[in-house]
Amino acid sequence: MMKVTVDDFETFLKDYIVKFNMPVKKATMLKVLQNTKILILDSTNNYYFSYPYIYYFFVARYLADNIKDCKDIIDVILNNL
């Protein structure tokens, strides 16, 4: 499972909602993701994605939105392909 802190996920969602049309309310999305066990909140306030591709979507979206600041990270990813 892939881990992300609640604070990091909240920061991402705030930015995402500002930039993109999100027809579903944030609370509804989180509830559905948690009810289907795609997103799990543990006792230490971390989210875990039970399916890596969901986590990878958010990582890819972050990299795309912050490409100028993430060039070194993207280079490392490309060099490891």
Side-chain angles (χ1 to χ4, degrees):
M1 284 197 270
M2 307 305 220
K3 178 180 89 169
V4 65
T5 66
V6 169
D7 291 338
D8 288 343
F9 193 64
E10 289 292 323
T11 299
F12 170 81
L13 283 178
K14 283 179 189 173
D15 291 341
Y16 188 87
I17 291 168
V18 167
K19 294 178 184 177
F20 300 99
N21 179 27
M22 190 161 144
V24 177
K25 291 182 182 179
K26 181 176 75 171
T28 303
M29 181 193 71
L30 289 173
K31 185 177 178 180
V32 168
L33 290 173
Q34 289 176 321
N35 286 344
T36 57
K37 305 295 187 223
I38 290 173
L39 188 67
I40 300 163
L41 180 62
D42 72 4
S43 61
T44 61
N45 245 9
N46 291 309
Y47 281 122
Y48 287 87
F49 291 90
S50 57
Y51 299 103
Y53 64 87
I54 301 291
Y55 173 79
Y56 297 144
F57 165 78
F58 288 109
V59 170
R61 181 86 258 168
Y62 176 83
L63 292 173
D65 291 345
N66 297 284
I67 197 162
K68 291 180 182 177
D69 299 327
C70 297
K71 287 188 179 198
D72 292 338
I73 295 168
I74 294 169
D75 286 340
V76 170
I77 293 169
L78 291 175
N79 287 330
N80 286 317
L81 290 177

